[in-house]
Amino acid sequence: RKLPGCVNLGGMKLWSVVVVALSLAAWVGLWATPGEPPDEPRFTAQNELVRPEGYREWIFVGASLGMSYNDQAPKQPTFHNVYLHPRAYREWQKTGRFPERTILAMELLTPGSQESINRQGQFENRAVGVEAAVKDSSRFAEGWAYFNFIRQGQPAAPTAKAFPKEACWECHHQHGQTDNVFTQFYPVLRREWK
């Protein structure tokens, strides 16, 4: 007997096809992988950068220990791990330029030693915090701005104001090998490796 509104598809009712299709769609949705981290830096209404999330899943471009831009060695050197958003990295590979809305995140970590079986050398120990560089000419007259989410003895700040131009931009502009970025310190971004 034929139910009202059902179409016979060679012995199979349309409602059966719909149920199977919906079940398949639900199953595929469960196994879908999340996409890339957000492509764009996010800002508050006060022009503060929202702390980047998921940066450890970005492209790792280089690390340093105790690097300083003045003659005095830092009292407590830290490891610096630098990550570049995948979209910006792909553009860098193609053109050798950083696109608008590029985000670089620099994570600072204390060095550790003499723990567990370690007797020589140092390893990355505790996270200090994260800083970021953003290229956005529509938002910043100089093109790039620099941010610090570190609050001593407190959880990381959820947002940060850009440093004044004299604090970071001047040095990056004068010494950054490529477009205000210290590519000379990041093996993955050195053009001679391409």
Side-chain angles (χ1 to χ4, degrees):
R1 181 173 152 207
K2 187 174 177 186
L3 296 173
C6 289
V7 177
N8 189 337
L9 299 173
M12 197 170 173
K13 304 282 186 211
L14 180 59
W15 60 268
S16 298
V17 172
V18 171
V19 168
V20 169
L22 290 174
S23 298
L24 181 61
W27 182 80
V28 168
L30 289 174
W31 292 100
T33 57
E36 281 188 349
D39 265 3
E40 303 287 322
R42 296 178 297 138
F43 290 89
T44 66
Q46 295 76 33
N47 207 30
E48 292 186 0
L49 179 66
V50 176
R51 187 178 66 241
E53 295 184 16
Y55 58 84
R56 288 184 183 136
E57 296 174 13
W58 298 0
I59 307 300
F60 176 75
V61 296
S64 63
L65 173 61
M67 185 176 284
S68 175
Y69 305 128
N70 58 45
D71 291 333
Q72 278 189 310
K75 291 179 184 176
Q76 295 182 346
T78 55
F79 282 97
H80 298 171
N81 291 337
V82 179
Y83 303 88
L84 177 61
H85 189 278
R87 176 189 57 81
Y89 179 69
R90 286 190 300 271
E91 182 68 21
W92 167 259
Q93 285 183 306
K94 284 189 240 174
T95 67
R97 294 195 288 187
F98 296 102
E100 286 292 317
R101 315 282 285 163
T102 288
I103 313 170
L104 286 146
M106 182 171 74
E107 183 176 44
L108 285 68
L109 301 107
T110 62
S113 64
Q114 302 290 317
E115 290 187 27
S116 183
I117 63 168
N118 172 258
R119 295 296 166 251
Q120 299 294 319
Q122 296 178 316
F123 56 90
E124 294 177 350
N125 196 13
R126 291 182 181 82
V128 173
V130 66
E131 297 179 357
V134 173
K135 182 179 182 179
D136 189 339
S137 300
S138 68
R139 193 175 289 272
F140 306 106
E142 292 79 23
W144 286 89
Y146 304 88
F147 304 85
N148 182 347
F149 299 93
I150 300 169
R151 297 190 300 187
Q152 299 300 327
Q154 298 177 32
T159 63
K161 292 180 181 179
F163 279 111
K165 178 181 176 180
E166 309 77 45
C168 297
W169 185 89
E170 296 279 352
C171 183
H172 278 260
H173 184 67
Q174 186 176 3
H175 301 287
Q177 189 171 38
T178 310
D179 190 17
N180 282 41
V181 178
F182 296 122
T183 55
Q184 66 265 36
F185 301 135
Y186 309 141
V188 173
L189 299 180
R190 290 189 195 137
R191 295 308 293 172
E192 68 267 18
W193 286 31
K194 303 294 176 216

